[in-house]
Amino acid sequence: MKSNTPLKFFVVENHQDTLDAIKMFLESQGHSVVAAPDMKSALKLAPRAEFDILISDIGLPDGDGWELMKRLRDQIPEMKAIAMSGYGMRADLDKSKAAGFAAHLIKPFGPADLDEALKKVLASPAGEKVNH
């Protein structure tokens, strides 16, 4: 999904191969990526990162993406965000939606899945919650 305007993504992912794949895809589309490996680093970097879209893993080594999202929402209320996780039960999807994620990608996912999630997030008004 090439956007006319390059976007800045904040990706929170502790699995290096997954992070590298997401970063490679987004950068190939003309976007830039700032990354953090865990919740503590993400909370420290987020205020300075000036990002357009958050993409966060749910299973982080020092917490979870749902808590991260709630804490970042306090600082950035209109933030657009995508959750990603190996957890894909209806309850997990609902929890992501309740936390404020506009989309929930179930791992493993490919570039087409990420592209589709980005289209949904970009088409929705800031802060609007969209189903997976």
Side-chain angles (χ1 to χ4, degrees), residues 51-72:
F51 58 93
D52 299 301
I53 298 174
L54 168 72
I55 301 176
S56 179
D57 190 14
I58 296 302
L60 298 169
D62 60 349
D64 65 56
W66 297 311
E67 177 64 23
L68 173 64
M69 180 63 171
K70 289 174 190 168
R71 292 174 69 180
L72 289 178

Side-chain angles (χ1 to χ4, degrees), residues 54-106:
L54 168 72
I55 301 176
S56 179
D57 190 14
I58 296 302
L60 298 169
D62 60 349
D64 65 56
W66 297 311
E67 177 64 23
L68 173 64
M69 180 63 171
K70 289 174 190 168
R71 292 174 69 180
L72 289 178
R73 270 261 183 233
D74 290 341
Q75 299 172 33
I76 312 163
E78 298 302 310
M79 177 176 55
K80 292 187 176 200
I82 298 169
M84 56 182 171
S85 173
Y87 312 132
M89 302 295 291
R90 172 52 54 197
D92 301 315
L93 302 177
D94 291 344
K95 198 168 179 179
S96 290
K97 184 176 178 182
F101 287 100
H104 181 113
L105 288 167
I106 300 168

Side-chain angles (χ1 to χ4, degrees), residues 6-87:
L7 299 170
K8 189 170 184 180
F9 288 85
F10 186 37
V11 181
V12 183
E13 171 61 70
N14 63 299
H15 186 260
Q16 192 62 49
D17 290 344
T18 302
L19 175 59
D20 290 345
I22 292 169
K23 200 172 173 186
M24 188 182 326
F25 172 74
L26 293 172
E27 289 174 348
S28 76
Q29 303 299 304
H31 306 299
S32 62
V33 177
V34 173
D38 54 39
M39 188 160 75
K40 182 179 177 183
S41 301
L43 290 169
K44 187 176 179 180
L45 282 171
R48 298 186 313 266
E50 298 179 12
F51 58 93
D52 299 301
I53 298 174
L54 168 72
I55 301 176
S56 179
D57 190 14
I58 296 302
L60 298 169
D62 60 349
D64 65 56
W66 297 311
E67 177 64 23
L68 173 64
M69 180 63 171
K70 289 174 190 168
R71 292 174 69 180
L72 289 178
R73 270 261 183 233
D74 290 341
Q75 299 172 33
I76 312 163
E78 298 302 310
M79 177 176 55
K80 292 187 176 200
I82 298 169
M84 56 182 171
S85 173
Y87 312 132

